[in-house]
Amino acid sequence: MSITTKRVFNFSAGPSCLPEEVLKECADEMLNYKGSGQSVMEMSHRSAVYKAIIDHAEEQVRKLMNVPSNYKVLFLQGGGSTQFAMVAQNLGIHSHKAAYIKTGVWAKKAAAEAKKLGIQVDEIASSEDKNFSYIPRVEKIEGDYDYAYICFNNTIMGTHYEYIPDTGNIPLVADISSCILSEELDVSKFGLLFAGAQKNLAGAGVTLVIIREDLITDEALPGTPTMLLYKTHADNGSMYNTPPCYNIYVLAKVLDWIEKIGGVKEIHRRNVEKADYLYNYLDSSDYYHATAEKGSRSLMNVPFLTKETDAERAKEINAKFVKEAAEEGLVNLAGHRLVGGMRASIYNAMTLEGVKALVAFMDKFAKENS
C-alpha cells in the first residue's frame, strides 16, 4: 500500500467515501461523545444517550425520505445479501410465488436465494441479452404474486430504473443500496425498501429497511429464525439484540449533513451535475465509452471502457490506467470483472472537484495512449 499525506478521491463501489465534514465530527467525538465521557463505539445500546442517537437516526430517515406513518424504519445487520432471504421468508407466505426483474448480479442472487427457500421465482423480464446494459421496461406487473422484486440501481453494470413499475396490490420490493438518498423517491409506491449503508449512508455493517406495517406479521416460511423476522426487529425498535451502534451513529451524521446542505433535492442536483460532466465527456470521447445505455444510466456508478479492440492490449491499458490514476490520487477505479475496463462510483459524498480531476486524468491518459 502506498503512503500519502493527503486525502484521495475514492471512487470505490463500496465501502465508499464519506463526507469529510462527517468524518471530522466523528473524530472529534471519538473519545467523548457530547460530554458522556465515552465513545459511541463503547457505550451501552440500552443507555439513554444511545437511545437518543438511534431515535434521531430514524427521525432523519423519515424526514429526508418522507416516509409515511404506516411504515417501520429498521436498522438491521447482515447487509443487503441477508435481505435476499428475509424478503422471501417474510413476504413469500401465501402463493409462494414472486416476480423478479433480472437486471444484474444482485437481482440474480436475490432470485437464487428465494428459490432456495422454495419460492417459485418468475423472471418476468431480463436485460441479460445485452450483458445487463439497460433496464427493461415493465410498466405493469400482474398475477397472484406475494411480491415483486427489483434492484433499483445496479452497482456493477451502472444501470438505474428511470421509472417505478406499477404492481397494483402486489408489494413492490426494491434493493436501493447503491442509490439511497441520491434522488427523491416515493416510498409509498413500495412495500419494502432496503439498503446496505456502505454506499451513501455510513460504513459497512448496518442495513436500513423501510417496510409497510401490514407486511409485518407473525407469519413466515417454516423454520425462519427469530432474527430473520421483520416483526422481531419492529417490535423491539431495532434493539432485539445489540445493533451496529457506531454505524447507526455515523448514518445519523450523514443524514444531518444531507439536511444541512439542502436535503435530497440538492443532493440530486449535485449528482446530476457530476454524472452529466462524466457522461458528456465519455459520449464525446474517441477513446472511451460508457457501457450503460442512455435512458438506463446510473447517477452513482459509471462503468466505462477504452476503445481498444485487442483483448490483451485492453487488459494492459486498463491496468495501466488504474495504476497511474492511483498515483495521481484517484483510487479504486478498476472495473468489475463482469464488465471489464474501469468504473467510477460517484456517490453522494464524491465532490464535483473529484469528478473533474478524474476527467482531466482520463483526457491526459487518452492523449498519451491512444
Side-chain angles (χ1 to χ4, degrees):
M1 181 184 75
S2 61
I3 303 298
T4 179
T5 57
K6 65 176 184 177
R7 290 207 24 106
V8 296
F9 291 116
N10 177 15
F11 294 93
S12 171
S16 64
C17 58
L18 288 167
E20 284 195 29
E21 180 180 321
V22 169
L23 293 173
K24 288 174 180 176
E25 283 183 15
C26 292
D28 288 343
E29 295 176 344
M30 176 56 77
L31 293 179
N32 187 353
Y33 173 73
K34 296 195 176 200
S36 66
Q38 58 191 316
S39 172
V40 176
M41 205 176 272
E42 59 189 348
M43 67 176 54
S44 168
H45 63 294
R46 303 293 182 191
S47 65
V49 65
Y50 188 75
K51 181 69 164 54
I53 291 172
I54 195 169
D55 286 351
H56 179 64
E58 177 176 342
E59 176 189 327
Q60 289 296 76
V61 171
R62 289 188 177 278
K63 184 193 300 181
L64 290 169
M65 295 187 69
N66 294 312
V67 178
S69 60
N70 64 323
Y71 283 70
K72 290 286 189 182
V73 173
L74 308 176
F75 300 106
L76 307 183
Q77 299 178 66
S81 296
T82 298
Q83 290 307 304
F84 301 162
M86 283 186 75
V87 165
Q89 288 169 314
N90 288 263
L91 272 59
I93 55 177
H94 301 298
S95 68
H96 304 293
K97 291 169 60 178
Y100 280 69
I101 300 178
K102 190 164 71 172
T103 52
V105 168
W106 303 113
K108 285 175 68 175
K109 288 189 174 185
E113 201 71 8
K115 287 178 184 176
K116 283 182 185 178
L117 294 163
I119 302 299
Q120 177 187 316
V121 171
D122 287 355
E123 181 189 298
I124 60 172
S126 172
S127 54
E128 194 164 15
D129 60 323
K130 293 186 179 179
N131 196 31
F132 303 116
S133 62
Y134 70 100
I135 297 293
R137 195 86 191 181
V138 183
E139 298 288 355
K140 193 169 183 63
I141 301 174
E142 297 176 301
D144 62 336
Y145 297 116
D146 285 333
Y147 63 92
Y149 185 102
I150 61 175
C151 182
F152 210 67
N153 188 85
N154 296 279
T155 320
I156 292 172
M157 306 302 178
T159 58
H160 174 75
Y161 278 79
E162 298 299 318
Y163 71 102
I164 299 173
D166 178 4
T167 60
N169 293 324
I170 304 168
L172 179 59
V173 176
D175 176 354
I176 56 170
S177 294
S178 52
C179 63
I180 187 167
L181 287 163
S182 64
E183 60 188 333
E184 293 179 304
L185 192 63
D186 187 349
V187 173
S188 70
K189 292 186 181 296
F190 300 86
L192 187 151
L193 294 163
F194 71 85
Q198 65 273 16
K199 321 283 191 181
N200 266 340
L201 295 177
V206 60
T207 302
L208 178 66
V209 172
I210 302 172
I211 179 172
R212 207 171 64 215
E213 288 180 348
D214 64 288
L215 300 176
I216 304 171
T217 70
D218 288 314
E219 293 184 79
L221 294 183
T224 297
T226 302
M227 277 294 290
L228 298 184
L229 293 169
Y230 290 121
K231 194 171 191 305
T232 298
H233 303 285
D235 287 351
N236 291 277
S238 299
M239 290 208 204
Y240 176 78
N241 69 328
T242 307
C245 297
Y246 195 78
N247 278 313
I248 294 171
Y249 155 79
V250 175
L251 181 149
K253 292 277 190 191
V254 171
L255 299 189
D256 288 344
W257 170 77
I258 291 174
E259 182 178 44
K260 180 180 176 181
I261 64 173
V264 181
K265 187 169 286 189
E266 171 59 17
I267 278 287
H268 182 240
R269 185 199 67 76
R270 294 184 184 192
N271 288 334
V272 169
E273 184 179 23
K274 290 183 297 184
D276 282 352
Y277 194 90
L278 182 50
Y279 282 122
N280 288 341
Y281 173 76
L282 289 167
D283 290 340
S284 64
S285 174
D286 293 326
Y287 189 66
Y288 307 98
H289 66 94
T291 61
E293 294 184 8
K294 290 181 179 180
S296 296
R297 287 177 170 177
S298 170
L299 293 177
M300 300 283 94
N301 312 102
V302 186
F304 59 94
L305 305 174
T306 66
K307 294 181 179 175
E308 300 288 349
T309 54
D310 179 77
E312 282 304 311
R313 166 72 175 163
K315 188 176 178 181
E316 290 173 11
I317 283 292
N318 293 344
K320 185 181 182 189
F321 181 103
V322 172
K323 179 177 181 293
E324 293 184 5
E327 290 169 354
E328 296 201 17
L330 308 163
V331 303
N332 294 315
L333 282 162
H336 191 277
R337 58 184 173 77
L338 294 178
V339 180
M342 282 65 67
R343 174 178 53 177
S345 291
I346 51 176
Y347 297 118
N348 286 352
M350 175 55 66
T351 61
L352 180 61
E353 179 191 3
V355 174
K356 286 184 174 181
L358 171 61
V359 168
F361 169 78
M362 291 169 68
D363 200 49
K364 172 173 166 282
F365 186 88
K367 288 172 182 173
E368 293 173 351
N369 292 277
S370 60

